[in-house]
Amino acid sequence: MPWDYRPWGCGGASKGSCNDGWIQFEICEDGLTDKNYFEATYKEACELTAYLCKMYGLNPKGTTSLNGVTVPVILCHADSYKLGLGSNHGDVYGWYKRYNRTMDDVRNDVASLLAGGNIFPTPTPTLTPTTGNNEVLGVGDSGSAVEKLQKDLLKLGYKLPKYGADGDFGEETLAAVLKFQEDNKLEIDGIAGPNT
Ligand SMILES: [Zn+2]
């Protein structure tokens, strides 16, 4: 359905219904025992919510007012029930509680996503160690060991915009090594030794 269609997510109660104008979390429950599945849906829900907040200019931690009731911009079925604006369902907390998550976590994580935070970092790629590598590389060095160092830096997200992995340890590689050392709390000497 189009995003601006009206769902019947939470029904209604004495004070009205949250079915208009909010981002609702409504879930279909299964056995609820698969942690990976939970984490995957949590991540997708946050990303989708951030996308919608951006599209519609919504503040994920904001509130709005309906029939005199203050309503969070993002809420779940149980939230709307507690406000007198939805039928009596416990979702999503039955599931979220098992994995120590709340709707406030959602609101905070969505806000972080919108602020450009990387709250679901991709796993650090594994690097193949060069066996018996006691090499110490610095400015002026060149060759395949430097090229491997540069490729590893690129793989880890360090930028070599001008020269890339050209096998020459110059100023650009030095800057990337210094940044890597700073990020990893190593000695910041610009020398790629065994520790680095
Ligand atoms: Zn429900």
Side-chain angles (χ1 to χ4, degrees):
M1 291 199 301
W3 294 123
D4 54 0
Y5 259 46
R6 183 175 186 267
W8 192 248
C10 68
S14 60
K15 292 187 179 151
S17 168
C18 277
N19 281 333
D20 288 307
W22 292 270
I23 297 179
Q24 287 184 46
F25 278 45
E26 167 71 22
I27 59 168
C28 302
E29 302 183 353
D30 65 357
L32 312 181
T33 53
D34 185 340
K35 186 171 196 295
N36 290 334
Y37 179 67
F38 173 81
E39 294 297 340
T41 62
Y42 180 86
K43 176 174 185 279
E44 281 207 17
C46 288
E47 288 171 347
L48 174 59
T49 302
Y51 172 83
L52 292 172
C53 282
K54 200 167 184 182
M55 187 188 297
Y56 292 104
L58 301 172
N59 173 6
K61 292 165 97 167
T63 56
T64 181
S65 179
L66 175 68
N67 304 332
V69 183
T70 303
V71 184
V73 164
I74 301 167
L75 81 176
C76 71
H77 197 154
D79 290 344
S80 62
Y81 168 67
K82 272 180 240 153
L83 295 171
L85 293 162
S87 58
N88 187 358
H89 276 212
D91 56 301
V92 299
Y93 296 113
W95 200 24
Y96 275 40
K97 267 182 192 158
R98 290 180 182 228
Y99 302 104
N100 294 317
R101 288 267 173 53
T102 65
M103 287 303 292
D104 276 335
D105 291 330
V106 172
R107 293 172 191 117
N108 290 329
D109 285 343
V110 170
S112 299
L113 282 174
L114 286 170
N118 185 17
I119 61 162
F120 303 113
T122 44
T124 310
T126 22
L127 304 175
T128 331
T130 311
T131 42
N133 181 11
N134 292 313
E135 256 169 314
V136 173
L137 303 168
V139 172
D141 286 327
S142 61
S144 60
V146 173
E147 197 182 320
K148 175 166 176 5
L149 169 71
Q150 291 168 328
K151 282 181 178 164
D152 285 349
L153 285 165
L154 291 168
K155 211 167 164 183
L156 291 170
Y158 294 87
K159 305 273 183 277
L160 301 169
K162 224 168 156 186
Y163 301 107
D166 64 353
D168 285 318
F169 198 130
E171 293 299 320
E172 191 172 85
T173 303
L174 174 66
V177 169
L178 289 168
K179 185 78 184 37
F180 173 83
Q181 290 173 329
E182 188 189 339
D183 290 346
N184 292 279
K185 302 191 166 49
L186 296 159
E187 196 184 336
I188 304 170
D189 59 2
I191 308 273
N195 286 346
T196 298

